[in-house]
Amino acid sequence: MLFFVGLGLYDERDISVKGLDTVRSADVVYAEFYTSKLMGTSIERLERLYGREIEILSRSEIEVDPSWLDDAREKNVALLVGGDPMISTTHLDLRLRAIEMGIDTRVIHASNIASAVPGITGLQNYRFGRSATVPFPHIARGKRIVSSTPYDAVKDNLIRDLHTLLYLDIQEGRLMSINEAAALLIEVAEGRGDSGFASSLAVGIARAGSEDICVRAGMLSDLRTYSFGPPLHVMVIPGRLHFMEAKALRILAGAPEELLSGYVL
């Protein structure tokens, strides 16, 4: 059996009781932390609480050569991942590979940022459109390339009065901040001649699931300089607001009253 065990949002204590029982009873325990990271803990703390040795898998061992799946033919194997296991298509691909190999699979769900954001901000979960990731710029043929995909996702959702959850890039040794993401979105918007986009309502969330969570709403341009503190960070660009959503952003995220007035449905 191959178990996909979600670890939740922030630290080693976010795992469910069912997940903890699964880890402790597994024959082999692996983990990957390139799709999501638990910023409030360490491998040592995970091993100490779970009472198990954990082998960390690289990105290539997950996506290119998951030969470790063979272990699950004869043993109970637990793969630990941040958040909820099936939010990432990477893990769905692994599950389908395992099933095609004749390996039984089971998913132990956990809290994740997509389900937590509505509760953190007060924005209603059914009013979120498609999400997107803000990637770091890259160099191609000597030219700096900034992806327009997140900007396009936001604009498409705004046409429908839907909110957009923006994940921020995670790379080896680099974790994108809300400040960087806001600046990149504005750069793309200005390149499209959309100078008003910088004045859009935006919400920044840092360290979801921790005791020192930071939630701040304001103009996107203001989020470029606001100090959100350590990662992980995500952003939301809201569409038009139900009056309860507007009230929630004012109380929970410090949104300016004058900014909200133009967003209420």
Side-chain angles (χ1 to χ4, degrees):
M1 178 78 76
L2 173 61
F3 295 89
F4 293 86
V5 182
L7 298 181
L9 291 170
Y10 187 69
D11 63 26
E12 72 275 11
R13 297 169 298 167
D14 285 341
I15 193 172
S16 68
V17 174
K18 186 182 294 184
L20 185 58
D21 289 343
T22 299
V23 173
R24 288 176 173 172
S25 63
D27 298 309
V28 184
V29 182
Y30 295 108
E32 71 84 6
F33 293 114
Y34 80 87
T35 57
S36 181
K37 294 182 182 293
L38 298 184
M39 300 306 297
T41 191
S42 64
I43 295 301
E44 292 75 22
R45 285 169 58 180
L46 291 171
E47 291 181 330
R48 186 160 56 247
L49 178 62
Y50 302 165
R52 299 302 308 276
E53 182 178 340
I54 301 171
E55 181 177 342
I56 305 300
L57 298 174
S58 67
R59 183 167 189 165
S60 63
E61 288 174 310
I62 293 290
E63 294 185 343
V64 180
D65 181 27
S67 55
W68 55 273
L69 283 176
D70 287 331
D71 291 346
R73 295 183 187 273
E74 305 292 337
K75 301 174 182 178
N76 286 329
V77 174
L79 175 63
L80 313 184
V81 300
D84 185 85
M86 289 299 131
I87 294 297
S88 170
T89 55
T90 296
H91 304 135
L92 173 60
D93 178 65
L94 271 179
R95 188 182 189 192
L96 296 179
R97 288 197 200 193
I99 292 171
E100 289 171 346
M101 293 169 62
I103 298 168
D104 291 331
T105 66
R106 186 178 175 192
V107 179
I108 311 298
H109 294 284
S111 57
N112 65 85
I113 193 63
S115 62
V117 162
I120 291 169
T121 61
L123 297 173
Q124 296 166 351
N125 70 315
Y126 66 88
R127 298 199 56 236
F128 278 78
R130 73 180 178 101
S131 59
T133 297
V134 183
F136 285 109
H138 66 279
I139 304 298
R141 298 180 179 179
K143 183 179 180 181
R144 177 175 173 272
I145 305 298
V146 179
S147 173
S148 62
T149 299
Y151 170 81
D152 291 335
V154 170
K155 296 297 284 188
D156 288 345
N157 285 335
L158 289 176
I159 291 171
R160 299 168 176 82
D161 281 335
L162 297 176
H163 312 319
T164 308
L165 172 59
L166 294 171
Y167 302 98
L168 308 192
D169 204 357
I170 297 175
Q171 295 185 8
E172 191 66 36
R174 297 181 72 192
L175 303 173
M176 183 179 287
S177 69
I178 292 164
N179 313 110
E180 292 172 301
L184 289 170
L185 287 169
I186 292 171
E187 181 178 344
V188 173
E190 290 179 345
R192 298 278 187 88
D194 186 2
S195 59
F197 190 72
S199 300
S200 298
L201 175 63
V203 188
I205 302 162
R207 299 173 302 285
S210 73
E211 293 182 1
D212 68 334
I213 185 174
C214 179
V215 188
R216 181 72 178 180
M219 288 193 300
L220 185 61
S221 57
D222 294 335
L223 267 55
R224 285 185 299 188
T225 56
Y226 186 80
S227 179
F228 285 91
L232 290 174
H233 293 183
V234 295
M235 286 179 59
V236 177
I237 307 295
R240 299 283 295 282
L241 303 169
H242 182 273
F243 75 91
M244 284 297 292
E245 293 179 302
K247 182 178 180 179
L249 286 181
R250 178 173 56 81
I251 294 174
L252 301 177
E257 189 76 51
E258 62 274 15
L259 180 58
L260 292 174
S261 62
Y263 279 84
V264 180
L265 286 166

